Amino acid sequence: MQLESDAHENTVDAEPTVVNCYEFFETLFPASGLLDLTDGMYYGDDSIPYDEAQGNQCNWLLDEVGCTSGSRILDIGCGNGRLVAAAQRRGADAVGITVSPQQVNRCRSQGLDVRLMNYRRLGDDWNGRFDSIIANGSIEHFVQPRDILARRQDEIYREMFEIFHRLLDPSSSARRVATTVIHQHDRTPMPPAEVLLRSPWRFRWKSPEFHFVSLQRGFGGSYPHLGQLERCAASLFQLSREVDGTEDYRVTSEMGNLAVRKTLFSAAGFFDVWPHLIGFVARHPSQGATLLAMVTGGSWRWQFQGSPPPTKLLRQVWQYLE
């Protein structure tokens, strides 16, 4: 697929908190055997091995967008390239984009076509190039608290769907977008944006405010409300399928946390991982301390626990509208 060169990758426009969090993850997660950072699919059986569940979710997404031999697939926020590699094994022409230099390096070392790019900067030469698009766990980073303060979240999500729409080939028989996105649950709404911008340590330990502010401080971004994406996609895409994956993400997070804690408290972790984590915290003190607290204390897992849990993970499939 002939697309514009990524010669200007070093000037990629991305939220620093988001870029930094994936630097942190790249330091810790691969050492723990975790290369895919999103939810797996367990089909109600949490005895399924972690890696198999990740493969199940990857195949579900590719099936939903009709990925077969010759398909042209764009993965926005491709992480360490699991979907891109799986699409290539099906004979597809797959391209990934990410704002993480570490992820680009890892993907390219595997021979994957992955670019260091912000989806909002995809130029006109990308128009109509794809049969389908996947955004698997990346949309949570697209709206920042300052955008909420400016009441721009609908505008940003609408622009996102407009970009998806122009990237798809209108003559393709597929023309689908698959997304996995954590949503705010109406029963436990996120605090106002001005609260999200405060330090988590100003709130009661393990209170909803503490957890939500920790998530924002560590990862950067916000979650859409239930129904918000569907409203912003109107006239561009129709929601054709929706699956609740919240319980799958709970199981994934529990298994991932066990692997991370095992690494952190092992001899290998002490000598090989902790020096890099300490270096990260020295460069990014507030974010680094928050991320360490989250991976050892549980703000990430908290959001998928309880009845009902504070958030809801939705897998959604969107069909292109003329």
Side-chain angles (χ1 to χ4, degrees):
M1 186 178 297
Q2 298 299 313
L3 295 168
E4 184 180 82
S5 168
D6 51 5
H8 301 292
E9 287 185 336
N10 61 330
T11 61
V12 66
D13 176 20
E15 178 68 25
T17 303
V18 177
V19 177
N20 294 343
C21 85
Y22 285 106
E23 177 189 347
F24 177 91
F25 294 158
E26 188 65 14
T27 298
L28 177 58
F29 287 178
S32 305
L34 309 173
L35 289 177
D36 197 313
L37 308 180
T38 60
D39 54 301
M41 294 183 76
Y42 294 86
Y43 304 110
D45 179 5
D46 58 10
S47 69
I48 291 176
Y50 182 97
D51 198 58
E52 181 180 338
Q54 295 290 331
N56 291 340
Q57 191 248 23
C58 177
N59 285 321
W60 186 90
L61 289 168
L62 293 174
D63 290 343
E64 288 296 317
V65 299
C67 177
T68 59
S69 179
S71 295
R72 298 163 298 169
I73 304 295
L74 175 64
D75 186 5
I76 295 178
C78 64
N80 285 317
R82 181 190 286 267
L83 272 163
V84 175
Q88 286 188 355
R89 289 194 294 271
R90 294 186 180 204
D93 186 358
V95 178
I97 64 171
T98 174
V99 298
S100 166
Q102 293 82 13
Q103 291 176 349
V104 170
N105 291 338
R106 182 178 291 276
C107 289
R108 288 182 175 175
S109 71
Q110 303 171 57
L112 303 177
D113 185 358
V114 169
R115 326 289 180 87
L116 186 66
M117 301 189 76
N118 185 325
Y119 81 101
R120 299 182 72 186
R121 302 295 179 257
L122 296 175
D124 290 344
D125 57 316
W126 290 68
N127 290 357
R129 294 281 186 159
F130 300 97
D131 298 299
S132 295
I133 296 170
I134 295 172
N136 182 27
S138 54
I139 292 174
E140 294 92 341
H141 295 302
F142 292 176
V143 171
Q144 302 300 320
R146 63 177 179 273
D147 298 316
I148 301 173
L149 283 172
R151 300 186 178 182
R152 294 188 60 238
Q153 57 265 52
D154 273 13
E155 175 187 338
I156 291 170
Y157 293 136
R158 177 69 180 183
E159 178 196 49
M160 175 190 76
F161 281 110
E162 289 172 347
I163 292 170
F164 292 173
H165 199 269
R166 69 174 172 83
L167 297 180
L168 292 174
D169 182 352
S171 67
S172 170
S173 60
R175 294 177 298 172
R176 295 177 208 153
V177 174
T179 60
T180 66
V181 186
I182 301 169
H183 288 68
Q184 299 184 44
H185 201 295
D186 295 340
R187 295 187 182 92
T188 313
M190 293 182 71
E194 58 269 20
V195 174
L196 289 176
L197 291 170
R198 298 175 188 169
S199 167
W201 309 109
R202 295 182 61 180
F203 302 96
R204 180 173 53 85
W205 174 250
K206 295 191 176 182
S207 65
E209 292 82 5
F210 172 85
H211 287 303
F212 275 127
V213 173
S214 293
L215 289 165
Q216 193 285 320
R217 177 67 61 91
F219 297 108
S222 183
Y223 300 156
H225 294 278
L226 293 170
Q228 186 171 17
L229 295 183
E230 191 170 6
R231 182 177 71 248
C232 294
S235 79
L236 297 170
F237 291 92
Q238 179 179 358
L239 181 61
S240 61
R241 187 170 187 192
E242 181 175 281
V243 175
D244 187 340
T246 311
E247 175 62 11
D248 280 335
Y249 221 159
R250 183 195 67 77
V251 177
T252 300
S253 300
E254 298 289 349
M255 291 188 175
N257 182 260
L258 287 174
V260 165
R261 290 174 69 87
K262 182 177 179 180
T263 296
L264 288 176
F265 298 108
S266 68
F270 182 80
F271 291 106
D272 298 335
V273 176
W274 275 107
H276 297 289
L277 293 180
I278 292 170
F280 180 91
V281 173
R283 294 191 303 276
H284 312 287
S286 178
Q287 185 179 9
T290 302
L291 284 166
L292 277 174
M294 277 199 297
V295 299
T296 57
S299 287
W300 182 261
R301 291 179 294 148
W302 165 83
Q303 64 185 322
F304 305 117
Q305 297 172 337
S307 182
T311 65
K312 179 176 283 192
L313 185 281
L314 295 179
R315 304 184 184 106
Q316 296 173 309
V317 183
W318 308 85
Q319 186 65 51
Y320 179 104
L321 296 176
E322 300 289 350

